[in-house]
Amino acid sequence: MGLGQRPLSKTVEMPPARTSRGTDAFVASTARMYDFFLDGKDHYPADQRACHRLMDIAPQIQTLARAQRRFQLRAVREMARNHQVTQFIDFGCGMPTWENTHEVARRSHAASTVLYVDHDPTVVAHGQALLEEEGTSAVVHGDLRESRDVLTHPDTTDLIDFTKPVALLLVSVLHCLPDRDEPHFLVNDLMRQLPAGSYLIASHLVSEDALLRESVTRLMRDSTGGHWGRVRTSGEAAAFFEDMDIIGPPPGPVTAWQSESELDRVVPGPLLEFGAVARKRS
């Protein structure tokens, strides 16, 4: 989750209760929490407090966030270099960070186009400022639960050719959706709208420890004002890739996509970032 080589603003120590675009600075947001874990500066004290509380429960969480980021960028590079994918839709893109989808994709294939989507108005504002002179990337305000609106948005149709395969990114997004939103249905519905031969790049926080799942879920729901889903089991996460052809390592810890030389190797623990890359069948 992220959009620029360097964050665009600094941490605000005494934030206003609500920004001009409607962001509540006293309630943590997942996007700003990820920014904290990735050593960014676009977060508020509420986000910092939530991150520290989360690290008390799950000490590996910052390492997992960094591993998730490496997985995302490596998968994008794989799609652009070896599968001739030049179109990417990054749902839940998050705050600008140290390296991003459009930068990696374009280094791998100069013709790459990237659509970023996020429901957080602060994320959208930062992304639009970063990409305001871009012609091959755009940021739109949208939600996975309203994917048809996103895919028909003028900025989307100007950028994405839906007669050609698309790589859909849902990295560390699906655990933000509660069961009432039927996340498996949402993913299936979105993939049905994409051309045959499109790809899914996705990851999800999982644990086989029921107590840990409940503790992390409760903390995140409380911290974000209820704007979170739940930690699921690896079996529930693997179901997002059913009836698709797996590319690369099978569904499992995203560290399978890391090289031996990369830092912050994750020792397997009770909480994992679980993901895979899969291809939609014809």
Side-chain angles (χ1 to χ4, degrees):
M1 298 174 71
L3 284 183
Q5 288 202 4
R6 186 176 294 174
L8 301 179
S9 65
K10 297 180 179 179
T11 302
V12 178
E13 294 303 326
M14 292 297 291
R18 190 170 293 273
T19 70
S20 60
R21 297 181 70 98
T23 300
D24 189 339
F26 291 118
V27 176
S29 84
T30 54
R32 297 194 307 263
M33 289 178 69
Y34 270 104
D35 179 74
F36 174 87
F37 286 134
L38 296 178
D39 296 325
K41 296 181 180 179
D42 288 303
H43 48 265
Y44 295 135
D47 308 300
Q48 297 169 15
R49 287 191 294 272
C51 288
H52 286 296
R53 291 174 61 205
L54 184 55
M55 286 189 287
D56 287 341
I57 296 174
Q60 280 187 302
I61 193 65
Q62 185 167 27
T63 303
L64 292 176
R66 291 171 174 171
Q68 161 259 308
R69 190 71 193 160
R70 291 194 179 95
F71 158 70
Q72 174 175 338
L73 299 180
R74 187 175 290 276
V76 167
R77 188 160 52 244
E78 171 71 13
M79 293 296 98
R81 284 184 181 175
N82 300 323
H83 296 271
Q84 292 72 54
V85 177
T86 60
Q87 305 186 111
F88 299 83
I89 301 179
D90 188 350
F91 269 87
C93 57
M95 288 290 189
T97 187
W98 32 271
E99 195 170 23
N100 304 279
T101 302
H102 72 284
E103 296 161 337
V104 172
R106 204 155 303 142
R107 281 200 300 270
S108 302
H109 198 300
S112 295
T113 59
V114 178
L115 179 76
Y116 292 104
V117 185
D118 208 288
H119 73 278
D120 187 322
T122 303
V123 170
V124 175
H126 278 73
Q128 290 175 341
L130 175 71
L131 300 175
E132 61 184 354
E133 296 182 1
E134 275 273 355
T136 55
S137 300
V139 188
V140 300
H141 185 267
D143 195 296
L144 181 59
R145 289 162 287 202
E146 299 169 349
S147 64
R148 293 178 189 273
D149 291 340
V150 172
L151 297 188
T152 57
H153 190 285
D155 288 348
T156 302
T157 55
D158 284 348
L159 198 63
I160 304 296
D161 180 354
F162 286 104
T163 68
K164 299 177 181 179
V166 175
L168 171 67
L169 281 74
L170 299 174
V171 179
S172 277
V173 169
L174 298 171
H175 49 238
C176 298
L177 296 173
D179 290 340
R180 65 175 178 274
D181 288 330
E182 300 183 276
H184 291 88
F185 170 82
L186 292 176
V187 174
N188 289 336
D189 182 59
L190 182 48
M191 291 303 299
R192 279 195 295 269
Q193 298 174 68
L194 299 181
S198 291
Y199 293 83
L200 172 65
I201 301 170
S203 70
H204 195 302
L205 279 175
V206 306
S207 180
E208 306 310 313
D209 182 329
L211 182 59
L212 181 60
R213 288 199 305 271
E214 176 59 28
S215 296
V216 173
T217 296
R218 185 186 308 112
L219 187 151
M220 288 301 298
R221 286 178 179 170
D222 291 346
S223 298
T224 62
H227 296 294
W228 213 71
R230 68 179 176 92
V231 180
R232 295 183 170 90
T233 66
S234 57
E236 290 174 307
F240 287 107
F241 305 99
E242 286 181 353
D243 301 321
M244 302 181 72
D245 296 321
I246 302 299
I247 306 298
V254 297
T255 47
W257 283 78
Q258 290 187 195
S259 68
E260 289 298 327
S261 63
E262 287 178 312
L263 300 176
D264 293 329
R265 301 289 296 179
V266 180
V267 177
L271 186 69
L272 292 172
E273 187 81 24
F274 182 104
V277 177
R279 184 177 185 272
K280 177 180 177 178
R281 294 171 182 164
S282 301

